[in-house]
Amino acid sequence: MAVSKSNKKKNHQSYISIQSQIINSISQSSLESLLLSPKKNQPPSSKLRLLLKNPRFFIFLIFTLCFICMLKMIPFSQYPCSISQEKAKISTGFLNSELKYDERSEFWKQPDGLGYRPCLDFSERYRKESVQIVKDRTKYLMVVVSGGMNQQRNQIVDAVVIARILGAALVVPILQVNVIWGDESEFSDIFDLEHFKNVLANDVRIVSTLPSTHVMTRPVEEKSTPLHVSPEWIRSRYSRRLRRDGVLLLRGLDSRLSKDLPSDLQKLRCKVAFNALRFSPHISEFGNKLSQRMRSKGPYLALHLRMEKDVWVRTGCLPGLSPNYDEIINNERKTHPKLLTSRSNMTYHDRKLAGLCPLNALEVVRLLKALGAPKSTRIYWAGGIPLGGNEALLPLMREFPHFYNKEDLALPGELDPFVKKASLMAAIDYIVSEKSDVFMASHGGNMGHAIQGHRAYAGHKKTIIPNKRQMLPYFMDSSLQESEFNKIILDLHQDSLGQPELRTSKVGRDVTKYPIPECMCNNTITSS
């Protein structure tokens, strides 16, 4: 016989969800006594006696208490880091009180910026010339940039300045596919193209492609530009050909443009490097997110570690992990002697003492401890996988257990859009490093230099520049007591912590690494 909908509603009963393990340990009658209301009112005392006499009630009670205790004991970390790192967090007791001590530590003290701030005041002549340059529709400069992301970034800065010198429009730079990493990213995959165009609209006209009037033009290609050429050399070499043919193609721009340029062109270099070259929105958003995760429990240090196999080979240095790893590097260098970019007439020991070698993990630890970094320091490490993998990083991980990279901080799936794209991964490292409270590179390089300049331009945020040439003899002196060693190292770095430093003190310094005095000024200079 069919049951009406109204009868169904009347016969409907609600049940409490109980785990199957508990259900199996309780009889049907006990379940009914727990879930269904009794038909007759019984005194409270009799109900309690019945429950206390039932052994299954005690089993249920014990099980419930144990389950609650287990939930309270499980640590829920804010970061999806590896299990070993989570254990390190628990064992060291990363408590709020320890964080407060960190924030008061001298290690986090920022240098005095002496009132310097960005000021890109172009001359009246520059501004007048800009009107004609951005209107010109006859000359176009095409460039192909190569290398890793930071090397490409430097070449893009030079490309804009060369276009300005020639009074030509710049076609969006072509990024050559990197042979080592196979990264096929284009300009707009890494950088915010519209922002790039808008910021430079009054300096150089940026176009995405050649106009139809020039598409069939065969560009004049130049491959043999010498190193560190002046604006006068560029004009005398290319201006006539550019006017005649309309399109010029340049390759291999790395270090082709002089670092000593007229003031307006130096300001333009800063404008490109610090204002126009902004990372694309999806990279910026993710990099900022990782930076926020690092800072969620206090200040953090960013380390750019240059300990990859190719770095040891190119610099003529040895990793110092074990004789086996040293032999690997020596054999690679003998097989491919052209990979050595350092001075070939120097021995490894001579290179080391001259400060030409990257610091290994143990040396980084000793330097940071001497500079006052607490054991609880939170470290973000940037860079490729070091030769030897985790073994090469062990001294750092043991001394500073709060040690992370982007893989540790990212939630499952967050890194998927960036994997197998070395330029995008390098851009993420750049963002997190630039935003850190303290930054240090173990061996200069394009990224270390770029971030040093960026942090200076942002207000002289603390940047540790290892004084390798002077400090390494003390690293090798085993007779020094730790306290004496620490004092010596600290004294050697008093003026190497990101304080304002004038570029004019050394000819040939890149203004994007030392932005004073061309790109930054203070109230004293302005009022005088």
Side-chain angles (χ1 to χ4, degrees):
M1 180 176 176
V3 182
S4 67
K5 291 182 180 179
S6 59
N7 289 337
K8 281 184 180 180
K9 289 180 182 178
K10 290 179 182 178
N11 295 332
H12 180 74
Q13 290 180 324
S14 296
Y15 294 91
I16 300 173
S17 174
I18 299 179
Q19 293 189 16
S20 58
Q21 296 93 329
I22 301 175
I23 293 174
N24 292 335
S25 66
I26 304 177
S27 66
Q28 182 64 32
S29 60
S30 299
L31 273 175
E32 289 177 357
S33 67
L34 288 171
L35 300 176
L36 301 178
S37 299
K39 293 181 181 179
K40 295 181 181 179
N41 292 330
Q42 297 179 2
S45 57
S46 61
K47 291 180 184 178
L48 183 60
R49 280 196 298 272
L50 286 172
L51 283 174
L52 292 175
K53 288 180 179 180
N54 191 337
R56 291 185 177 86
F57 171 77
F58 285 100
I59 295 173
F60 172 77
L61 184 62
I62 292 169
F63 181 91
T64 304
L65 291 173
C66 290
F67 183 73
I68 292 170
C69 289
M70 286 174 63
L71 284 176
K72 288 186 176 181
M73 290 174 66
I74 297 175
F76 291 95
S77 173
Q78 186 174 354
Y79 304 120
C81 304
S82 63
I83 293 173
S84 61
Q85 289 168 332
E86 286 301 314
K87 287 180 179 178
K89 285 184 190 180
I90 297 167
S91 64
T92 53
F94 198 43
L95 303 176
N96 289 334
S97 59
E98 192 173 13
L99 276 171
K100 289 177 182 177
Y101 171 77
D102 267 0
E103 291 170 355
R104 291 197 304 266
S105 170
E106 281 290 311
F107 183 74
W108 303 113
K109 185 179 179 181
Q110 297 297 312
D112 185 351
L114 302 178
Y116 280 100
R117 68 184 191 284
C119 54
L120 301 178
D121 299 326
F122 294 93
S123 68
E124 184 178 352
R125 179 182 174 183
Y126 179 93
R127 294 195 298 271
K128 285 181 178 179
E129 291 175 349
S130 299
V131 176
Q132 184 59 39
I133 287 174
V134 297
K135 284 183 178 178
D136 190 281
R137 298 293 187 273
T138 62
K139 302 187 292 293
Y140 293 87
L141 174 65
M142 299 178 67
V143 297
V144 178
V145 299
S146 58
M149 189 278 293
N150 290 288
Q151 194 174 358
Q152 291 174 340
R153 191 175 178 276
N154 291 341
Q155 293 171 56
I156 292 168
V157 173
D158 282 355
V160 173
V161 177
I162 293 172
R164 172 75 193 200
I165 292 169
L166 294 171
L170 176 65
V171 181
V172 173
I174 300 165
L175 275 55
Q176 183 175 312
V177 177
N178 193 290
V179 178
I180 298 175
W181 298 291
D183 191 338
E184 298 180 358
S185 299
E186 297 180 358
F187 186 99
S188 58
D189 295 324
I190 304 171
F191 303 104
D192 188 332
L193 179 55
E194 290 307 310
H195 179 79
F196 183 69
K197 290 180 179 179
N198 293 335
V199 170
L200 297 174
N202 295 325
D203 304 276
V204 175
R205 194 164 71 92
I206 312 292
V207 297
S208 297
T209 57
L210 284 173
S212 57
T213 53
H214 289 66
V215 167
M216 299 305 293
T217 304
R218 184 176 181 179
V220 180
E221 184 172 353
E222 178 62 65
K223 298 180 181 178
S224 57
T225 307
L227 296 173
H228 310 302
V229 296
S230 67
E232 291 73 25
W233 189 97
I234 290 171
R235 290 191 190 97
S236 64
R237 176 83 175 188
Y238 301 132
S239 291
R240 185 177 176 185
R241 294 158 60 181
L242 188 54
R243 284 195 301 269
R244 182 190 66 199
D245 300 302
V247 183
L248 173 67
L249 173 62
L250 296 180
R251 294 178 181 271
L253 289 182
D254 198 20
S255 296
R256 302 301 166 181
L257 185 62
S258 171
K259 299 297 185 287
D260 298 307
L261 299 170
S263 178
D264 284 324
L265 294 181
Q266 296 285 48
K267 288 179 170 63
L268 180 57
R269 283 180 63 79
C270 289
K271 188 173 183 178
V272 180
F274 304 135
N275 297 339
L277 276 177
R278 186 171 72 184
F279 293 114
S280 59
H282 70 293
I283 297 175
S284 295
E285 181 183 351
F286 184 61
N288 290 333
K289 190 179 293 183
L290 295 191
S291 175
Q292 289 166 7
R293 290 175 187 172
M294 282 300 300
R295 184 165 284 109
S296 64
K297 291 186 178 180
Y300 72 94
L301 160 71
L303 280 179
H304 185 215
L305 299 176
R306 304 296 309 283
M307 300 194 298
E308 301 94 327
K309 180 181 177 182
D310 68 295
V311 175
W312 296 117
V313 173
R314 285 189 291 105
T315 56
C317 301
L318 297 175
L321 286 171
S322 68
N324 290 337
Y325 284 114
D326 289 350
E327 187 178 357
I328 290 172
I329 296 302
N330 281 324
N331 291 339
E332 186 79 14
R333 200 174 293 128
K334 289 175 184 176
T335 308
H336 305 286
K338 291 183 179 180
L339 293 177
L340 178 61
T341 57
S342 187
R343 301 172 193 173
S344 57
N345 61 339
M346 295 177 70
T347 65
Y348 158 63
H349 184 71
D350 291 338
R351 289 192 185 96
K352 186 79 173 176
L353 289 178
L356 300 176
C357 292
L359 298 175
N360 60 34
L362 183 58
E363 291 164 342
V364 171
V365 166
R366 294 190 70 191
L367 174 57
L368 290 177
K369 288 179 67 177
L371 295 179
K375 190 177 183 67
S376 58
T377 297
R378 295 169 61 77
I379 296 178
Y380 177 89
W381 72 274
I385 302 300
L387 177 68
N390 283 343
E391 181 183 344
L393 298 173
L394 277 178
L396 274 162
M397 296 169 71
R398 286 170 179 161
E399 188 62 37
F400 301 103
H402 306 290
F403 190 74
Y404 313 93
N405 65 2
K406 49 189 171 293
E407 283 82 6
D408 298 320
L409 296 173
L411 297 172
E414 281 187 324
L415 272 177
D416 291 350
F418 310 102
V419 294
K420 297 183 180 178
K421 295 182 179 179
S423 294
L424 274 60
M425 297 287 262
I428 294 168
D429 278 344
Y430 189 104
I431 293 169
V432 184
S433 297
E434 195 281 319
K435 290 184 175 297
S436 66
D437 299 273
V438 181
F439 172 75
M440 187 180 90
S442 65
H443 183 64
N446 291 310
M447 179 169 164
H449 293 165
I451 291 178
Q452 177 183 333
H454 210 141
R455 290 171 68 84
Y457 193 76
H460 291 91
K461 294 189 287 185
K462 186 171 183 177
T463 303
I464 300 170
I465 304 166
N467 193 339
K468 289 186 284 186
R469 182 175 296 182
Q470 293 189 42
M471 75 181 187
L472 283 173
Y474 299 103
F475 275 69
M476 299 175 182
D477 187 352
S478 58
S479 65
L480 281 175
Q481 296 291 328
E482 185 176 3
S483 58
E484 186 181 358
F485 171 84
N486 291 349
K487 184 181 184 303
I488 292 171
I489 299 303
L490 189 60
D491 289 342
L492 286 176
H493 288 84
Q494 287 300 318
D495 297 323
S496 303
L497 301 176
Q499 301 94 330
E501 187 173 353
L502 269 66
R503 193 191 71 86
T504 50
S505 61
K506 186 176 181 181
V507 176
R509 285 184 168 184
D510 193 339
V511 71
T512 60
K513 184 180 177 184
Y514 300 96
I516 300 174
E518 288 91 349
C519 303
M520 300 185 77
C521 52
N522 59 27
N523 295 330
T524 305
I525 293 176
T526 304
S527 59
S528 59

